[in-house]
Amino acid sequence: MPRLLARLALFILAAAALRAAAPDRPNIVVFLVDDMGIMDTSVPFLTDAAGRPQKYPLNEYYRTPAMERLAARGIRFNQFNAMSVCSPTRVSIMTGQNAARHRVTNWINPDQNNRGPAGPAEWNWTGLKPGDVTLPAILRTAGYRTLHVGKAHFAPRNTPGEDPAQLGFDRNIAGASFGAPGSYYANQDYGHKGKRTQHAVPGLAKYHGSDTFLTEALTLETKALLDEAAAAKQPFFLHFAHYAVHAPFESDPRFAANYRNSGNPANAQAFATLVEGMDKSLGDLLDHLEKLGLAENTLIFFLGDNGSDAPLGHEHAVACAAPLRGRKGSHYEGGMRVPFIAAWAKPAAGNRLQQRLPIPAGAVQSQLASVPDLFPTILAATGTKAPAGHSVDGAPLQTLLTGKADSSHPQAFLMHYPHAPHRSDYWTSYRDGTWKVIYHYFPSKASEDSHWQLFNLARDPFEQENLATREPAELKRMMAGMIGALEAHGAVYPVDPATKAPLRPKQP
């Protein structure tokens, strides 16, 4: 009996020691996919009238088993909004601010100011700068190892902010000023050869001349960084931002056969191979975290940076994001609705980090959320805070991540694009609950020759019925909300071509 009691005491002490040794802060992964919309996946995000995930033809076309695996382990959001183009979303993740506030309201042309003929001179073309408040800088100060792999696109060429290592990341692999890679192919040295050398992906010379697709090279580099983090026993923040699935639509040969008989054009087939290659990267990441024993303590946020750019139809039609209308850069939901999954890399009910933030398996969250919410959510999960005086437009997602409703979470989303040319020009949209209003600063055929479009997304989720003339009271209410939000964020506006005076939205 004494020997049994002694063994029991040793077991209790060992268990206590293991609990004491367990990390008190999670590792964080933001897995960001370029130009991936909510329909570019085999995971159904849209739901039927009963709230159950509903598959559409595009879900049958794409192959994303790793996304299916992640969604089965966590919660997916079916109304998660990003900005309609890439740089604004990326800066919002870094700062927690809406684009109307940080003023990176367009994608950043690396070499020239692309405000557009009537765009605001005061927009933030120079992007992020050393000393700006950023998520990695806050986490690094709090003891996290901060890692960036892949696309950056935070600032123009030959400015300090083009290098993520100047913005709070300890390591930067392959991040630069541009958004589109020169090439996905190693035999083109990822753009160092050929016609697109201005978009040559840096830092991957070891793969040049091989058959290593860019997506795979970035994955191998990420695994090596995770090996270092595991050896150092230091919590990490990994911003893994794939260049995929952005153009050029170069086919990933590993997956080309899967789409050869799809009946879709060659560029759409190539796009699908980019999606599947990105998904393989996600699966490899999950496997590697498990191999290193880090998965149970790692919280993953998977999302796209704007709506789909699949080459499957007109930018204002129900096509590449069907049944949603529109695509990347457009004012419709297909331009800004993106996949969002949050999950522990390996669910474990006894893990104390997971007990603090229990994410239900296979759940769907239908409440509205958006990219600025990531910043306060990650700060809350890691026990860190933004510096005093830094405005944060996002709200923590912790309650929503548990599958519950959160009446305190704002049900509004402001998307401000005072630029041209793009899929849609000079516009602002505003969501408030199920209502959405779009203001066009220069009416055209694309805006139905009106300043205003109004949709009720509960009754008309695919934006087919413009209610601007039939619901005048609702239009005025929504426009008042938009105007108030723009002013509260300190937005800058397009200008009158003749007078150069700012053009603020008009009430009907």
Side-chain angles (χ1 to χ4, degrees):
M1 182 63 73
R3 184 175 297 176
L4 179 61
L5 289 174
R7 287 179 178 175
L8 181 60
L10 285 173
F11 176 80
I12 293 171
L13 287 171
L18 283 173
R19 285 196 300 272
D24 58 0
R25 296 183 295 174
N27 306 308
I28 302 291
V29 174
V30 171
F31 194 101
L32 182 62
V33 189
D34 198 11
D35 286 357
M36 184 181 187
I38 196 170
M39 299 306 299
D40 300 334
T41 170
S42 57
V43 176
F45 281 83
L46 302 185
T47 53
D48 61 19
R52 295 183 297 260
Q54 181 175 351
K55 283 206 168 191
Y56 289 89
L58 285 174
N59 298 129
E60 304 291 349
Y61 175 54
Y62 295 107
R63 299 171 182 239
T64 55
M67 283 184 68
E68 294 175 21
R69 174 179 166 191
L70 190 68
R73 294 179 176 185
I75 190 166
R76 74 194 92 159
F77 283 51
N78 67 4
Q79 293 199 82
F80 194 89
N81 284 356
M83 307 302 162
S84 70
V85 291
C86 54
S87 296
T89 286
R90 291 163 188 273
V91 176
S92 289
I93 293 171
M94 292 294 106
T95 64
Q97 296 178 338
N98 187 282
R101 188 183 302 280
H102 62 62
R103 296 186 177 179
V104 181
T105 41
N106 199 5
W107 65 278
I108 294 174
N109 185 311
D111 300 306
Q112 60 186 3
N113 188 326
N114 53 315
R115 69 182 177 120
E122 305 89 353
W123 87 286
N124 185 11
W125 174 60
T126 54
L128 290 175
K129 306 162 189 64
D132 284 349
V133 173
T134 66
L135 182 59
I138 295 170
L139 294 177
R140 182 166 67 179
T141 300
Y144 273 75
R145 179 177 292 229
T146 54
L147 312 170
H148 171 88
V149 179
K151 173 175 171 173
H153 210 186
F154 297 130
R157 201 183 313 274
N158 298 323
T159 66
E162 71 171 330
D163 180 3
Q166 299 295 314
L167 303 173
F169 287 102
D170 294 314
R171 297 286 299 278
N172 166 38
I173 293 177
S177 61
F178 50 83
S183 174
Y184 285 95
Y185 296 132
N187 63 12
Q188 292 295 311
D189 295 350
Y190 307 125
H192 288 270
K193 294 180 180 178
K195 299 178 180 179
R196 293 174 54 85
T197 56
Q198 289 293 92
H199 289 242
V201 180
L204 300 175
K206 70 175 76 171
Y207 304 101
H208 289 181
S210 72
D211 60 357
T212 310
F213 203 75
L214 175 59
T215 307
E216 177 69 7
L218 296 178
T219 305
L220 293 172
E221 292 298 298
T222 298
K223 290 164 70 172
L225 291 181
L226 292 178
D227 291 343
E228 295 174 6
K233 301 186 184 303
Q234 184 180 3
F236 63 82
F237 167 57
L238 169 63
H239 187 250
F240 191 5
H242 273 293
Y243 282 95
V245 293
H246 198 290
F249 301 133
E250 295 177 334
S251 181
D252 187 332
R254 298 173 295 173
F255 309 107
N258 293 338
Y259 308 95
R260 194 163 290 139
N261 299 319
S262 66
N264 283 323
N267 58 355
Q269 293 182 40
F271 181 89
T273 71
L274 294 175
V275 170
E276 190 166 355
M278 170 282 302
D279 186 79
K280 179 184 182 299
S281 172
L282 175 64
D284 290 349
L285 173 69
L286 293 173
D287 291 343
H288 201 67
L289 289 169
E290 291 194 30
K291 176 184 174 182
L292 295 174
L294 300 172
E296 292 183 6
N297 302 319
T298 300
L299 182 58
I300 296 183
F301 299 100
F302 176 104
L303 73 159
D305 70 341
N306 48 243
S308 176
D309 198 31
L312 287 171
H314 190 272
E315 54 259 34
H316 294 157
V318 176
C320 73
L324 296 180
R325 187 176 180 181
R327 68 191 293 185
K328 169 187 176 178
S330 81
H331 53 281
Y332 295 112
E333 288 296 283
M336 59 198 88
R337 193 89 68 85
V338 299
F340 179 80
I341 304 171
W344 293 98
K346 182 180 180 181
N351 182 284
R352 67 181 181 183
L353 293 175
Q354 298 191 29
Q355 289 171 349
R356 292 180 200 164
L357 183 60
I359 299 176
V364 177
Q365 176 58 261
S366 293
Q367 196 167 327
L368 183 68
S370 62
V371 286
D373 295 334
L374 272 179
F375 181 94
T377 300
I378 292 171
L379 293 187
T382 56
T384 52
K385 294 182 179 180
H390 178 70
S391 297
V392 177
D393 296 315
L397 296 171
Q398 266 68 5
T399 299
L400 297 180
L401 294 178
T402 66
K404 301 174 183 176
D406 184 357
S407 60
S408 69
H409 194 279
Q411 287 303 284
F413 173 66
L414 177 68
M415 170 61 222
H416 185 48
Y417 188 78
H419 304 281
H422 212 287
R423 307 289 171 52
S424 299
D425 296 338
Y426 304 116
W427 58 278
T428 303
S429 70
Y430 182 68
R431 277 284 305 269
D432 183 5
T434 62
W435 287 93
K436 175 182 175 180
V437 67
I438 306 159
Y439 185 81
H440 300 267
Y441 294 85
F442 301 99
S444 67
K445 183 179 179 181
S447 70
E448 302 177 70
D449 295 314
S450 171
H451 282 297
W452 305 280
Q453 291 177 292
L454 179 70
F455 299 98
N456 185 314
L457 297 181
R459 300 197 302 262
D460 178 25
F462 310 137
E463 299 173 289
Q464 297 298 303
E465 186 179 14
N466 181 5
L467 301 174
T469 57
R470 289 171 48 192
E471 297 277 0
E474 198 62 50
L475 178 60
K476 288 182 179 179
R477 183 186 73 83
M478 289 294 293
M479 283 302 301
M482 173 193 288
I483 292 168
L486 287 167
E487 291 299 305
H489 286 80
V492 292
Y493 300 95
V495 298
D496 184 295
T499 67
K500 306 303 179 185
L503 292 174
R504 288 176 166 79
K506 300 176 182 178
Q507 272 284 13

